[in-house]
Amino acid sequence: SQTIHQWPATLVQPVGSPLSLECTVEGTSNPNLYWYRQAAGRGLQLLFYSVGIGQISSEVPQNLSASRPQDRQFILSSKKLLLSDSGFYLCAWRPRPHRDGYNSPLHFGNGTRLTVT
Amino acid sequence: EDKVVQSPLSLVVHEGDTVTLNCSYEVTNFRSLLWYKQEKKAPTFLFMLTSSGIEKKSGRLSSILDKKELFSILNITATQTGDSAVYLCAVFSYQGGSEKLVFGKGMKLTVNP
């Protein structure tokens, strides 16, 4: 069966420091991968998604970036954190959609609670 | 801009009550609507709906989609304290050559004993 791992679970970082959050998926190949941020009262906001190695689409301009160095690894980074980067970051995956348009739900990791101080 | 709106945003009920959660949407090229339950960490998948009028059911939870009126409801009967969570509605739309999942803000349900 497929599993998704995300770490760390919690992180406290000072303003201006770098960030690296990692997500890996096991038990599948060629997944679509996603980074979401969940802020209080604002729902889940899509930050980045990837359909393959090295292929990253950004949804929201910001000081965050994402990379996919391996098929089942997705990394969220920042060179200099801002206070506004605080939030709950969720990684998710789903199988590559079939040609007939069938899609399947996203499956989420347990998230990283980031506090920028 | 794609939009998913949930109502109410919060609800407090007593064990045994029945609750109905609402989700309306305006998206480009609708593909499917999903419901998730989020307790403390990862949202967990409940239902995916693609066709109008077909109810999906799992135990005390059920959901139905109305593609003409652009909404869905999630029903929970005989609520239990373990149903306390944030319930998220999300819609897959197809735009710009890719599918994107847009979420509502969530509905916080509190079930008191």
Side-chain angles (χ1 to χ4, degrees), chain B residues 46-105:
Chain B
L46 295 175
F47 300 111
M48 183 165 71
L49 303 139
T50 54
S51 302
S52 268
I54 298 177
E55 184 182 52
K56 293 228 173 171
K57 198 170 172 65
S58 176
R60 296 176 294 103
L61 277 66
S62 63
S63 182
I64 198 160
L65 173 68
D66 186 328
K67 288 170 75 173
K68 183 179 177 185
E69 300 297 330
L70 307 183
F71 79 91
S72 173
I73 59 171
L74 175 68
N75 274 324
I76 308 175
T77 59
T79 52
Q80 302 171 358
T81 54
D83 295 326
S84 296
V86 173
Y87 290 83
L88 300 166
C89 175
V91 174
F92 265 123
S93 66
Y94 188 82
Q95 51 181 303
S98 63
E99 291 182 318
K100 296 176 185 174
L101 189 60
V102 178
F103 281 85
K105 292 185 178 180

Side-chain angles (χ1 to χ4, degrees), chain A residues 36 38 49 94 103 106 109, chain B residues 36 38 42 48 98-99 101:
Chain A
Y36 281 86
Q38 188 173 32
Y49 68 94
R94 70 176 178 131
N103 52 44
L106 265 64
Chain B
Y36 286 85
Q38 185 178 24
M48 183 165 71
S98 63
E99 291 182 318
L101 189 60

